[in-house]
């Protein structure tokens, strides 16, 4: 057993949640991380361009990836430390994110409940520091274990070394350097709930719950997500296509004065504010837009969708037009959140 599988000329259509066509010259599926030193002895993997693919839920193939594509399929979850109050849970990169969230809740551990139902894998979670409903995964990461390509060796990075920021980390900034193999999360036995996100409180109230358990918070999050965000298994998408833009507080103040309904959030310390990209895009009339099979979700303006046969380039073209119209109307620059493969923004 080599611990990995090589597939030549592999179709990636079913391996990206936009469901757009793409091919890999070589796809390497790694079930056992112990095989990484052997694999990275091959010059193509050691020195060439490499795309590490998780659930494919945060990227857009605007073209075929150069070089090899590697996917981690290792699946174990276990508790590696537990003092009765705080436990450290270790999950392999290939585990489905939502499977991990349910596993931790089933073991009486709190921390990841607000991140329920986010598509993708555990290995991808720290890369863009997934976040939702007032929580970012970086807050609960103890250690990210990764294989560093050069020198070929396993490294363990604590949360500070991961340099987590809004939808950002060292792994996103240096995409060719590390391959995440496992993540260890520090989770609490006593629930420490984050209920600050307004819609979450409303949802719990609608469910008739005053003092929620972590599992009930996860259930409320699932209900909001199912209502607002299209299911990639039904309608191709990669969640939010744009980051919420960070602008100077003075700029945010002027925009808010001109457009009182614009949601403005804290972000980037005292001098910066985060604007709602969804609101800006919605205000420009894009919600529900469709041209051929490329479009914008009718339930959330931040989500680009593939109605069937759109290509990555067609979706990218819609994204450019959205950004141009927001720039023209509000003088705010939007940046894509997913990784673009085969194109630059
Ligand atoms: N809004 C509109 N039109 C819309 C949708 C939203 O005007 O079509 C306005 C509403 O005023 C709403 C506000 O935008 O109150 C914020 O919307 P939402 O609560 O959906 O949050 P978001 O800022 O659009 C972010 C994350 C999501 C995450 C939610 C909840 C980013 C780029 N996106 O979206 O993450 O689920 O908050 O915390 O930060 C993702 O990253 O893929 C993702 C879905």
């Amino acid at each position: 057993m080599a611990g990995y599988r090589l597939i030549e000329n592999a179709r990636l259509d079913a391996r990206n949640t936009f469901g757009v066509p793409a091919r890999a010259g070589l796809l390497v599926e790694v079930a056992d991380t112990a095989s990484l030193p052997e694999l990275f002895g091959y010059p193509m993997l050691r020195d060439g361009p490499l795309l590490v693919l998780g659930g494919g839920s945060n990227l857009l193939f605007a073209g075929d990836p150069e070089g090899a594509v590697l996917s981690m399929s290792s699946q174990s979850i276990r508790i590696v430390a537990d003092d009765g109050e705080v436990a450290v849970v270790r999950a392999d990169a290939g585990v489905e994110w939502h499977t991990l969230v349910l596993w931790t809740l089933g073991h009486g551990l709190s921390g990841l409940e607000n991140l329920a139902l986010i598509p993708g894998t555990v290995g991808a979670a720290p890369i863009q520091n997934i976040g939702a409903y007032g929580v970012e995964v970086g807050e609960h990461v103890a250690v990210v274990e990764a294989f560093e390509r050069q020198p070929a060796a396993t490294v363990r990075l604590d949360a500070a070394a991961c340099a987590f920021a809004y939808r950002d980390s060292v792994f996103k900034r240096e995409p060719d350097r590390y391959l995440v193999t496992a993540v260890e999360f520090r989770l609490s036995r006593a629930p420490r709930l984050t209920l600050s996100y307004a819609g979450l409180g409303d949802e719990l109230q609608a469910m008739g719950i005053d003092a929620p358990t972590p599992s009930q918070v996860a259930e409320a999050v699932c209900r909001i997500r199912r209502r607002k965000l299209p299911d990639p298994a039904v309608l191709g998408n990669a969640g939010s296509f744009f980051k919420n833009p960070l602008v100077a507080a003075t700029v945010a103040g002027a925009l808010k004065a001109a457009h009182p309904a614009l949601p403005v959030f804290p972000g980037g310390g005292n001098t910066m504010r985060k604007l709602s990209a969804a609101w800006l895009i919605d205000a420009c009339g894009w919600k529900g837009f469709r041209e051929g099979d490329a479009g914008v979700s009718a339930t959330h303006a931040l989500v680009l969708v593939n109605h069937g046969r759109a290509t990555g380039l067609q979706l990218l073209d819609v994204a450019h037009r959205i950004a141009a119209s927001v720039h023209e109307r509000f003088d705010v620059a939007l940046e894509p959140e997913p990784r673009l493969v085969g194109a630059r923004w």
Side-chain angles (χ1 to χ4, degrees), residues 133 166-167 197 240 242 244 276 279 282 287 300-301 337:
Y133 309 104
Y166 171 60
R167 295 296 191 274
Y197 182 86
S240 301
F242 296 101
N244 283 328
S276 164
W279 190 93
D282 209 346
K287 196 153 150 181
H300 204 301
E337 189 202 18

Side-chain angles (χ1 to χ4, degrees), residues 17-35:
T17 59
F18 264 125
V20 297
R23 272 182 192 277
L26 179 67
L27 174 67
V28 187
E29 247 180 20
V30 181
D32 183 357
T33 52
S35 56

Side-chain angles (χ1 to χ4, degrees), residues 146-169:
F147 186 78
E148 193 168 5
R149 283 172 84 192
Q150 302 205 357
T154 298
V155 290
R156 286 171 60 81
L157 285 79
D158 65 14
C162 295
F164 291 119
Y166 171 60
R167 295 296 191 274
D168 199 24
S169 72

Side-chain angles (χ1 to χ4, degrees), residues 5 16 19 43 47 61-62 81 88 126 128 132 144 146-147 162 172 198 201 207 210 240 279 299 315 341:
R5 203 157 74 101
N16 74 96
D47 306 319
F61 286 118
V88 178
Q128 59 143 341
V144 173
F147 186 78
C162 295
K172 193 163 176 180
M207 290 163 69
D210 289 335
S240 301
W279 190 93
T299 55
L315 287 158
V341 177

